[in-house]
Amino acid sequence: MLRLIRGATVAAMALLLGACQLIGNEDAPLTTFRPAGPNAERIDDLFWLVFWIATAIFVLVMGALVLILFVFRDRKKEDAREPKQLHGSPKLEVLWTVIPALILAVIAVPTVSSVFELTGCEDDSMRVELTGHQWWFEFHYPDQGVDTANVLVIPAGEEVCLEMTSDDVLHNFWVPALHGKRYLVPGQTTLLRLEASQPGEFWGHCAEFCGLSHSLMRTRVQAVSRAEFDEWVAAQLAPANLPADGTPEFDGYQVFLNKGCTQCHTIRFDDEASSNIVLSELFNGPDLTHFASRNVFAGAVLPEGGETHEQALARWLADPPNVKPGSFMPNLALTAQEIEDLIAFLESNT
Ligand code: CUA
């Protein structure tokens, strides 16, 4: 029995310490305990309020239980104490109804006000349209005319309003440092207000099971200064450079045009005639103009484990469904040379 209690105590302590190490741990990018903006802070404040109330109740109830167990424990007959026996006590019943009701009322006030505060956006906040796809996030900045994928760049200290929907199934956009989870629903628009107080990079994840590669549907939010954001927008609006004839980049451009990439992907060149046409809305892949300006790709899954952008791209282009099971990007059976050229072309798209 003693061994069992000891084992259970060790297991409970391990769980508790395991949970504590998430607080402030740099290796836990999806922790909710490091809020980096007013919306996430609001949720965090609410969590700690409820946590401490619950902890106080736990300590009080468990303390009373242990005390009663000790005082009224089974002793030798002569000094045994029988607790007072009672059946029905209006005073006690009122007490244990009123106290929990008061506690719930205290929790309800900030909870309900937070729920309303966190739903919807300020009228003048910058809009970004977010569309979920199996398995990547598409961002469109309607006022700036910028299209990008997986990496959301926002100005720090300003509220950005995500107008979210889905192209296929339910997804859920979750960047724990900046806000809670919210669904992306096909045929509906949901709103999510995002604000990062300081510049930084924040990790996000799809939080609704959406098919085979749900676990590989991630995102990054990069908060930068207003000046850097304006620079980024200007760079994104610039057309892609058409590579010069005879360079590896040009060979890669030819692979891009002739091996089927343009069925799903767009790259916006200066020359109208060289612009690619997405042949089918059904196979709508990320806009690859300025692809190399994104530090992550393929659903923000690559590069991983210390590999370079190029190494990850080589692995991805060789066999996409091997990296992301179920990927709609097929294995195009590219040769090593074609992959090398394609990488040179894509990496020149800064
Ligand atoms: Cu999208 Cu899970």
Side-chain angles (χ1 to χ4, degrees), residues 84-97:
K84 188 177 159 199
Q85 305 293 303
L86 41 91
H87 177 257
S89 163
K91 217 189 272 178
L92 270 179
E93 281 174 28
V94 166
L95 204 66
W96 70 50
T97 307

Side-chain angles (χ1 to χ4, degrees), residues 58-78:
F58 178 81
V59 169
L60 276 175
V61 171
M62 287 302 145
L65 187 67
V66 168
L67 192 72
I68 288 165
L69 284 176
F70 179 77
V71 171
F72 299 108
R73 71 192 185 282
D74 196 11
R75 283 183 275 200
K76 281 190 221 91
K77 270 270 151 23
E78 50 269 28

Side-chain angles (χ1 to χ4, degrees), residues 158-241:
E158 294 179 34
E159 181 179 295
V160 174
C161 181
L162 296 186
E163 296 180 342
M164 312 192 296
T165 189
S166 169
D167 202 28
D168 36 49
V169 299
L170 279 180
H171 299 279
N172 194 313
F173 186 78
W174 183 44
V175 182
L178 302 181
H179 206 302
K181 298 169 179 172
R182 184 142 306 154
Y183 276 105
L184 278 61
V185 185
Q188 278 185 31
T189 302
T190 48
L191 299 180
L192 187 74
R193 62 200 300 178
L194 277 191
E195 183 175 339
S197 304
Q198 301 292 328
E201 183 172 52
F202 310 101
W203 293 48
H205 209 296
C206 177
E208 173 65 24
F209 180 70
C210 55
L212 214 49
S213 278
H214 154 70
S215 68
L216 300 175
M217 182 168 173
R218 303 172 196 169
T219 186
R220 297 283 173 89
V221 176
Q222 289 169 350
V224 297
S225 69
R226 192 12 107 162
E228 282 171 310
F229 178 75
D230 291 339
E231 262 172 49
W232 177 81
V233 168
Q236 293 291 312
L237 286 176
N241 289 322

Side-chain angles (χ1 to χ4, degrees), residues 44 65 119 137 140 142 199 206 216 251 258 264 269-270 291 342:
D44 193 58
L65 187 67
T119 310
F137 291 107
H140 174 65
C206 177
L216 300 175
D251 293 341
N258 299 321
C264 307
F269 294 102
D270 206 5
F291 167 80
L342 204 45

Side-chain angles (χ1 to χ4, degrees), residues 20-29 31 34:
C20 290
Q21 69 99 33
L22 286 175
I23 303 177
N25 185 343
E26 290 295 320
D27 292 332
T31 177
R34 261 183 287 128

Side-chain angles (χ1 to χ4, degrees), residues 254-285:
Q254 292 301 320
V255 174
F256 183 80
L257 290 186
N258 299 321
K259 284 288 174 172
C261 309
T262 53
Q263 298 239 349
C264 307
H265 295 289
T266 308
I267 293 186
R268 288 171 283 110
F269 294 102
D270 206 5
D271 177 1
E272 275 301 314
S274 73
S275 297
N276 305 293
I277 301 150
V278 175
L279 294 181
S280 167
E281 282 298 317
L282 281 176
F283 301 106
N284 175 10

